[in-house]
Amino acid sequence: MLTRTFPRTMRLAIFVVALLHSSVPSHAQQGPFAGLIGSWSGAGFIKLANGQRERLRCRANYNVGENGTRLVQSLRCASDSYRFDVNSNIVSEGGTLSGSWTETSRNASGSVSGRVSGGQIQARIDGAGFSAQLTLGTRGDRQSVTIESPGHDITEVSVALTRTSRISSSVIIGKTVWRSTAVRACSKT
């Protein structure tokens, strides 16, 4: 009995993972973040306070929930001298953005506020001793991100990203993000 139950249970777990990885029809996600879902990668530069520029490579994952009005973002970028790993949780209500961010390698965090309209996000990023303006534009599978922070070590970040997958590796249910893993059905984060 156990021998027959285990394969059935494993098949059910694999089916659940496949279901969680399937694309949601576009009409189900009509909010301002609906066009961001998936994985993105690309390159750009960082500009330092002394005027020097460094090439930058980035990867981003956007998980969208609550009919496209909730965004959980993971962004990893690296240059020759810098690396940052930013996670954001943002909500849009009537085009007004609010949320929070953390930068894990420097143990920094703060708030995000701004506006979203069409494929354009204009936001202010604040943290302890830090503030910046963010502009994010999305058109189909192309995205541009610019962060300007005059008066800091890094004064500008500019990246062009291309969507590499429309499949999200996570599902947002309520305020909980469930990340799928290889064999296990899901793990709560």
Side-chain angles (χ1 to χ4, degrees), residues 90 97 112-115 121-125 132-136 146:
I90 303 170
L97 302 178
V112 176
S113 60
R115 302 235 9 111
I121 294 174
Q122 297 282 333
R124 180 177 169 94
I125 304 166
Q133 294 296 318
L134 173 129
T135 302
L136 185 146
T146 302

Side-chain angles (χ1 to χ4, degrees), residues 128-165:
F130 174 81
S131 66
Q133 294 296 318
L134 173 129
T135 302
L136 185 146
T138 303
R139 229 172 230 223
D141 290 339
R142 304 255 185 243
Q143 186 175 92
S144 63
V145 181
T146 302
I147 302 170
E148 295 175 318
S149 182
H152 294 90
D153 291 341
I154 298 175
T155 59
E156 183 180 351
V157 175
S158 182
V159 181
L161 301 171
T162 302
R163 188 185 334 248
T164 57
S165 170

Side-chain angles (χ1 to χ4, degrees), residues 84-89 99-113 124-132 152:
F84 50 95
D85 190 351
V86 179
N87 298 300
S88 304
N89 191 339
S100 61
W101 62 272
T102 60
E103 201 292 320
T104 57
S105 66
R106 291 172 182 79
N107 198 26
S109 62
S111 64
V112 176
S113 60
R124 180 177 169 94
I125 304 166
D126 291 302
F130 174 81
S131 66
H152 294 90

